[in-house]
Amino acid sequence: MSDLELTVNGHSYDVRGARVGISLAQVLREELGMTGTKIACNEGHCGACTVQIDGVPTLSCITLAHAVEGEVTTIEGLREHPLVDAFVQADAVQCGFCTPGQVVSAAALVAANPTPTVDEIRHHMAGNICRCGTYPRIEEAILHWRD
Ligand code: FES
Ligand code: FES
């Protein structure tokens, strides 16, 4: 057990007695109640657990919470991002399980490159798997996120 300080969505949190080896995804969901971050494969393969650390998309299921040094942004911190509406408008959500990770990844992309090409979108989003196959609609949402 070891205390843990995290900055998430602009707020500082002290997590008392976090067990050593706990993942960032588990801390977010179980200790901080931020269940928007999903855990699917829990092995770093699917992207469902994607958060940003200092703006960089990061797989929180394979990130040790005690090793986090930067500021964490989760889907809860992106509620007002225009991409959320763009996903809805493009009907890019089916079951919705992958959607938080998709939006977190896409937000990092458009922050660095507001007008990505389809190839750039595909390259950047390659780590985010959608079992419902909404990829064309996700691409549409990212292409038109500012409309
Ligand atoms: S749950 Fe983290 S990559 Fe799949
Ligand atoms: S919308 Fe169902 S997994 Fe992507």
Side-chain angles (χ1 to χ4, degrees):
M1 299 284 191
S2 155
D3 291 347
L4 175 65
E5 283 184 24
L6 283 176
T7 302
V8 184
N9 301 329
H11 301 283
S12 295
Y13 295 91
D14 288 317
V15 182
R16 301 280 171 215
R19 78 175 184 278
V20 173
I22 194 170
S23 71
L24 175 59
Q26 287 174 298
V27 168
L28 292 170
R29 291 178 56 83
E30 297 167 15
E31 304 291 339
L32 303 183
M34 296 184 193
T35 54
T37 298
K38 304 304 181 196
I39 299 175
C41 71
N42 206 24
E43 293 182 344
H45 298 306
C46 74
C49 64
T50 305
V51 300
Q52 295 176 9
I53 299 180
D54 288 342
V56 178
T58 302
L59 299 174
S60 61
C61 74
I62 54 169
T63 298
L64 292 175
H66 288 88
V68 173
E69 293 187 345
E71 294 205 11
V72 179
T73 302
T74 69
I75 189 65
E76 287 87 352
L78 296 170
R79 283 183 212 275
E80 305 301 323
H81 197 292
L83 268 168
V84 174
D85 191 49
F87 268 62
V88 173
Q89 294 302 321
D91 206 9
V93 180
Q94 198 164 73
C95 78
F97 199 82
C98 73
T99 310
Q102 303 277 6
V103 171
V104 171
S105 286
L109 170 61
V110 301
N113 176 8
T115 55
T117 64
V118 169
D119 281 349
E120 288 169 336
I121 292 170
R122 289 178 183 174
H123 179 75
H124 180 89
M125 301 295 292
N128 289 83
I129 293 172
C130 175
R131 289 163 184 78
C132 300
T134 60
Y135 301 111
R137 293 178 179 189
I138 290 170
E139 288 172 17
E140 184 184 331
I142 299 171
L143 284 170
H144 300 293
W145 70 281
R146 289 190 295 191
D147 294 353

